[in-house]
Amino acid sequence: FMQLAPGIIALIMIKMVTKKNDLLVFIKGLNQKKAGWLWIGLSVIVPLLMVFVCDFIYRILSKDSFERYGNSAVTWSIWFVIAVMIGCIGEEIGWRGYLLPLFSERYSLLLSSVFVGAMWGIWHFQFSEGFGFALFIVTTIEMSIIITWLYYKGNQNLITAVIFHIVFNYCSQYLY
């Protein structure tokens, strides 16, 4: 539930910095706009393709076996599913729901995506160290750019970002 922190911090910042009713406006606005089925569909398909194509290329280059696909160690319990969903929702409220619009008031969407992606990667510093950490930051920046594209094409509906994040996390957990 540590992943809820970006969303909680966003809510605290809105409450502290803005007018009294802005918090309610923010919460209502997170999902009021219609995203369209195309962008919701792409929020599922794009991360699936990203993870599985990268894994396929890795297995071919490293000559790793494809037999491992059927032997995933992930526990698909209801608690695992709920934890991943809640974590992704909490992060996306903070990253795309609050921080991205804040940065995009001052910078281009591309630069704002890079800033958010870098902060998102730093937020997950415990996942790797050294060169792996640098690659992780690059990955979160890349994903942030893609999620921002989907988010804005999907009429700034946070559900596109949340779905992308959830699907990416599930695919990554399944394979690794």
Side-chain angles (χ1 to χ4, degrees):
F1 290 103
M2 279 292 291
Q3 290 175 299
L4 289 174
I8 291 169
I9 291 169
L11 297 175
I12 290 169
M13 291 298 295
I14 290 169
K15 185 68 176 161
M16 288 175 52
V17 176
T18 61
K19 298 176 194 159
K20 200 177 208 179
N21 62 353
D22 283 352
L23 182 59
L24 189 58
V25 170
F26 173 76
I27 292 169
K28 283 183 178 179
L30 287 176
N31 199 25
Q32 277 194 324
K33 300 173 184 174
K34 300 241 188 266
W37 288 108
L38 171 66
W39 304 109
I40 292 172
L42 285 174
S43 295
V44 173
I45 294 166
V46 170
L48 278 169
L49 287 174
M50 286 172 61
V51 173
F52 282 100
V53 167
C54 288
D55 183 68
F56 185 78
I57 292 168
Y58 166 78
R59 289 174 193 274
I60 288 175
L61 294 176
S62 68
K63 296 182 172 81
D64 196 3
S65 170
F66 285 92
E67 294 173 12
R68 195 169 51 138
Y69 279 130
N71 300 324
S72 175
V74 173
T75 304
W76 291 97
S77 73
I78 190 70
W79 299 115
F80 177 77
V81 171
I82 290 170
V84 170
M85 289 175 66
I86 289 172
C88 292
I89 290 168
E91 282 193 30
E92 291 307 327
I93 287 171
W95 303 139
R96 251 61 59 183
Y98 178 72
L99 201 55
L100 182 66
L102 191 66
F103 278 136
S104 64
E105 288 175 5
R106 185 173 237 190
Y107 306 104
S108 70
L109 274 180
L110 180 61
L111 193 54
S112 298
S113 297
V114 170
F115 290 153
V116 170
M119 292 177 77
W120 182 21
I122 291 167
W123 170 253
H124 288 292
F125 74 94
Q126 75 275 16
F127 286 162
S128 56
E129 49 190 58
F131 185 66
F133 180 64
L135 288 176
F136 189 80
I137 297 288
V138 170
T139 301
T140 56
I141 290 171
E142 292 169 343
M143 287 195 330
S144 181
I145 292 168
I146 294 168
I147 293 172
T148 297
W149 176 74
L150 287 167
Y151 174 69
Y152 274 88
K153 287 293 189 175
N155 201 21
Q156 296 179 14
N157 187 315
L158 202 60
I159 198 74
T160 56
V162 170
I163 289 172
F164 182 101
H165 198 153
I166 290 170
V167 172
F168 186 86
N169 282 3
Y170 280 135
C171 292
S172 299
Q173 290 294 318
Y174 176 75
L175 292 174
Y176 304 107

